[in-house]
Amino acid sequence: MNKNFYPYKKEEYVIGTIQFLLLDLILSFLFYDSIIPAILFLPGLWIYQKERRKTQTERQKEKAETQFLDGMRAVSSALTAGYSIENAMGEGAKELEKLYGEQEKMVQEFARIRAQLELNQTIEKLFYDLAEKSELDSITDFAQVFGAAKRTGGNLSEIIQNTNEWILEKNETKREIRTCIAAKKSEQKIMSAVPCAMIAYVGITSPGFLDSLYHNIFGVTVMSISLLIYITAFVIGKKIVEIEV
């Protein structure tokens, strides 16, 4: 994971910490009716932040890929209008800045590529560098096709357009797969919340009913086993619905 290209900002750490602490307290009181387990579970914050960062990085990758394709469409149009590849990349950077703002990484990368081209760097190498930093297979594929076309003297504008369309078709297939499993992910989240909701419901509607499971060795053992089974089921369910596309 490229931490510079896909940063996890301080505010994200704060939000993640607050979310974990709330979840930690809820589970501690539901399963043990005590704050002490919440303190013992604090090392789990590292795992929670790691998973949260992974999820955010995937979203950032999808966003970067969309921005790259938008930029390359502008580059293709500029090449068709007779611009050199250096000026065409500049047009791509301008178009991305209009659409997303100058703070976006991909906008900055397009501007950097244009500047490096003026220093006689090869466009293929710069695309490969961008693919390595962004860790996007679509940019790697694009760099390979573009490099081959550049060496054989092909029509760059047409090749960029065709490659963009090919990547878009592949992404459309990914989106269709994600749509198909979105409902299952929602079901998994709801099912994961049901056990906690049931314990909370019983505790609220029937005060004292669960007292035998709290503050004694037998109760703590039973609730610890139940919590372990619950967490295991949650992890397995999450992995089932997380299909790589």
Side-chain angles (χ1 to χ4, degrees):
M1 182 192 303
N2 191 327
K3 296 181 180 180
N4 293 324
F5 204 89
Y6 302 113
Y8 192 60
K9 299 178 181 178
K10 289 182 179 180
E11 52 264 35
E12 294 297 335
Y13 273 109
V14 173
I15 293 172
T17 300
I18 293 173
Q19 289 177 345
F20 175 82
L21 291 178
L22 288 174
L23 180 62
D24 189 19
L25 288 171
I26 290 171
L27 291 178
S28 183
F29 278 104
L30 284 178
F31 283 86
Y32 299 101
D33 190 34
S34 171
I35 197 174
I36 295 176
I39 299 173
L40 298 177
F41 295 156
L42 284 177
L45 176 61
W46 179 81
I47 298 175
Y48 184 83
Q49 291 283 21
K50 182 180 178 181
E51 289 299 312
R52 194 171 185 276
R53 179 169 192 163
K54 179 182 175 182
T55 300
Q56 180 178 296
T57 299
E58 289 303 316
R59 293 198 190 103
Q60 290 176 327
K61 281 186 175 182
E62 291 177 18
K63 184 179 179 181
E65 189 171 52
T66 299
Q67 292 176 356
F68 175 78
L69 293 175
D70 288 340
M72 292 313 298
R73 272 194 288 268
V75 171
S76 176
S77 298
L79 288 172
T80 302
Y83 284 72
S84 66
I85 184 61
E86 292 85 358
N87 291 331
M89 289 301 301
E91 291 299 310
K94 290 178 184 177
E95 183 64 23
L96 285 180
E97 187 173 341
K98 290 178 185 176
L99 293 172
Y100 302 104
E102 63 181 7
Q103 299 302 319
E104 292 292 334
K105 279 287 184 180
M106 198 56 69
V107 178
Q108 297 170 3
E109 286 299 317
F110 268 64
R112 185 189 67 82
I113 288 175
R114 184 186 186 284
Q116 291 296 314
L117 286 171
E118 293 178 349
L119 297 175
N120 296 321
Q121 293 284 337
T122 62
I123 185 69
E124 305 98 294
K125 180 182 182 300
L126 294 172
F127 275 137
Y128 275 118
D129 289 344
L130 177 57
E132 184 177 353
K133 284 192 289 187
S134 64
E135 299 175 350
L136 289 171
D137 293 336
S138 58
I139 300 182
T140 302
D141 296 339
F142 187 93
Q144 291 173 344
V145 173
F146 190 88
K150 193 80 162 43
R151 288 191 297 271
T152 57
N155 186 319
L156 294 183
S157 176
E158 184 178 347
I159 289 169
I160 290 174
Q161 184 176 352
N162 291 339
T163 306
N164 274 2
E165 290 176 358
W166 171 69
I167 294 173
L168 283 172
E169 288 177 3
K170 187 171 69 171
N171 287 351
E172 184 62 31
T173 302
K174 289 182 180 180
R175 276 192 291 271
E176 289 176 1
I177 295 173
R178 291 193 186 103
T179 300
C180 290
I181 64 176
K184 297 300 179 184
K185 286 186 176 182
S186 298
E187 290 176 10
Q188 187 265 335
K189 290 178 181 178
I190 294 172
M191 291 174 65
S192 297
V194 167
C196 292
M198 291 178 64
I199 296 174
Y201 176 79
V202 172
I204 293 171
T205 58
S206 303
F209 185 80
L210 298 175
D211 286 354
S212 61
L213 295 175
Y214 297 136
H215 310 298
N216 60 81
I217 295 177
F218 174 76
V220 169
T221 302
V222 170
M223 295 305 274
S224 295
I225 294 173
S226 300
L227 180 59
L228 180 60
I229 293 172
Y230 172 69
I231 293 175
T232 302
F234 174 80
V235 172
I236 292 174
K238 194 169 185 294
K239 287 186 177 297
I240 289 174
V241 297
E242 283 185 348
I243 300 174
E244 293 289 337
V245 294

